[in-house]
Amino acid sequence: MPLPLYLLALAVFAMGTSEFMLAGLLPDIATELDVPLGTAGLLTSAFAVGMVVGAPLMAVLARGRSGRSGLLGFVLLFLAAHVVAALTTSFPVLLATRAVAALANAGFLAVALTTAAALVPPERKGRALAVLLSGTSAATIAGVPGGALIGALYGWRAAFWAVALLCLPAVLGILRGVPGPGSEEAGRRPALRAELSRLARPRLLLVMLLGALVNAATFGSFTFLAPLVTGTAGLGVTWVPAVLVLFGAGSLAGVTAAGRLADRRPGLVVTAGAPALLVGWPALALLAARPAAFLVLVFVLGGLSFAVGATLITRVLYEADGAPTLAGAYATAALNAGAVLGPWLAGLALGTAAGDRGPLWVSTALVGAAVLVALSWRGAADPRGRS
């Protein structure tokens, strides 16, 4: 894999860290800026909404630029938003920086997915995207607890400075390793209407829906692992970072393994992984009170979730063939729709009789819905059940 690809993954790591680290920083932010904790929670909502709407919007705005200039613009905007966030004493300004950072993040990921696929031969596209998405997995392993630790030791502003500094190597990598503009590239670029028309493809919509559902299940339970650790599992608050790292380690292993199969055997990853998830999420809910089983299942489900989710996101790029500047936006929109839907539904489940196991049952239902959609599609494609 080319070095620029790993530097793009580093930027994805920085952006993933920024997205997830806020959970541990909100109390300090609320205290220093003199706002209620619930109001400080709007910082998370602003980022989530910006990610969902930002991918297609930013990708369309970047169509007239080369991949290099688009990536450079987005990463510099993301960096600048974090510098302003680290300096401001105004909550409204901080809220605005989160929205801007989310738009930049969404635009960067949309362009990076397409650029990563273009940096390697077509038969290695899945592996390249696995390297890129490993940045998100790495953020759950090191970035999130690292951001929380920096915030605890040096204050929440230091965490924002750290994210900004992590973007600098990516800037150099983009300048040195990503191809610049060329007339040949511009001449081959289809019209915007032609790229948007790809959304009429049923198979593209199918894999986008499946990717959104599986990733919703992943982020729904991941977001609320902490109350499960301290509640049903009875492991104590000091175990929370360890369990989050364990899930992240599983996700990194899963996305790495799936990257080697996403190009050659994507069907194997999905048809084996999705039923395993359908069994795994309820198993975690039922065995959460047994610490040994709980820890093993957290690692396994992290691996399965990212293996299946990353493979489906890769398939979005394949099905969006013919939309070179928007394919990454379609993949990013599916990924982020899941990242918003899952935690929202899981949060609602926390208030039910299921308690801290509620998010796990929500993940079960979301994966079940994905399996039913996939089976219904196969049945509609061939009434005798053959694909």
Side-chain angles (χ1 to χ4, degrees):
M1 294 289 106
L3 177 60
L5 184 58
Y6 291 96
L7 294 173
L8 292 179
L10 178 61
V12 173
F13 167 75
M15 293 176 180
T17 298
S18 176
E19 181 177 4
F20 299 133
M21 74 179 183
L22 223 59
L25 303 177
L26 286 180
D28 291 340
I29 292 174
T31 299
E32 182 175 334
L33 299 185
D34 194 24
V35 296
L37 185 58
T39 301
L42 293 175
L43 296 172
T44 301
S45 301
F47 200 95
V49 172
M51 285 290 288
V52 172
V53 303
L57 176 62
M58 294 296 102
V60 169
L61 291 177
R63 284 190 83 249
R65 299 179 176 274
S66 66
R68 181 169 69 182
S69 61
L71 289 170
L72 186 62
F74 287 131
V75 76
L76 289 175
L77 180 62
F78 184 84
L79 189 158
H82 282 73
V83 170
V84 174
L87 294 172
T88 188
T89 57
S90 165
F91 180 78
V93 172
L94 182 60
L95 185 64
T97 67
R98 295 308 288 168
V100 170
L103 290 173
N105 186 352
F108 180 88
L109 189 56
V111 177
L113 284 166
T114 304
T115 302
L119 289 174
V120 297
E123 66 274 9
R124 304 187 76 185
K125 183 186 297 185
R127 191 169 177 183
L129 297 188
V131 170
L132 186 70
L133 294 176
S134 68
T136 300
S137 302
T140 65
I141 299 173
V144 175
L149 180 61
I150 291 173
L153 293 176
Y154 305 107
W156 63 268
R157 297 176 188 278
F160 281 83
W161 282 116
V163 169
L165 290 174
L166 281 173
C167 294
L168 294 178
V171 171
L172 295 177
I174 292 166
L175 289 172
R176 297 289 298 273
V178 176
S183 57
E184 183 181 357
E185 174 190 350
R188 291 200 306 262
R189 182 174 295 156
L192 177 60
R193 182 185 298 271
E195 294 203 55
L196 291 174
S197 70
R198 298 293 170 174
L199 282 174
R201 287 183 171 183
R203 285 187 62 86
L204 173 58
L205 294 175
L206 173 69
V207 290
M208 288 179 67
L209 176 60
L210 295 179
L213 288 171
V214 171
N215 282 291
T218 303
F219 289 106
S221 285
F222 173 74
T223 301
F224 296 104
L225 273 179
L228 192 66
V229 172
T230 58
T232 300
L235 291 173
V237 68
T238 56
W239 275 88
V240 171
V243 172
L244 294 177
V245 168
L246 190 63
F247 186 91
S251 70
L252 183 58
V255 78
T256 301
R260 300 179 180 276
L261 294 172
D263 295 310
R264 296 178 289 108
R265 305 288 298 277
L268 175 63
V269 178
V270 176
T271 57
L277 284 172
L278 193 56
V279 173
W281 286 121
L284 183 59
L286 295 173
L287 298 174
R290 302 181 180 182
F294 174 76
L295 294 174
V296 170
L297 283 170
V298 163
F299 177 83
V300 171
L301 286 167
L304 287 171
S305 295
F306 271 76
V308 176
T311 299
L312 288 169
I313 295 303
T314 300
R315 296 316 301 175
V316 172
L317 293 185
Y318 276 104
E319 296 299 336
D321 182 42
T325 63
L326 293 186
Y330 299 153
T332 305
L335 176 64
N336 290 318
V340 172
L341 176 66
W344 176 66
L345 293 175
L348 294 178
L350 281 175
T352 67
D356 53 34
R357 302 184 203 220
L360 302 177
W361 293 114
V362 167
S363 294
T364 302
L366 288 166
V367 173
V371 171
L372 287 176
V373 168
L375 291 176
S376 298
W377 169 267
R378 290 191 63 184
D382 186 339
R384 294 170 295 178
R386 297 183 305 205
S387 57

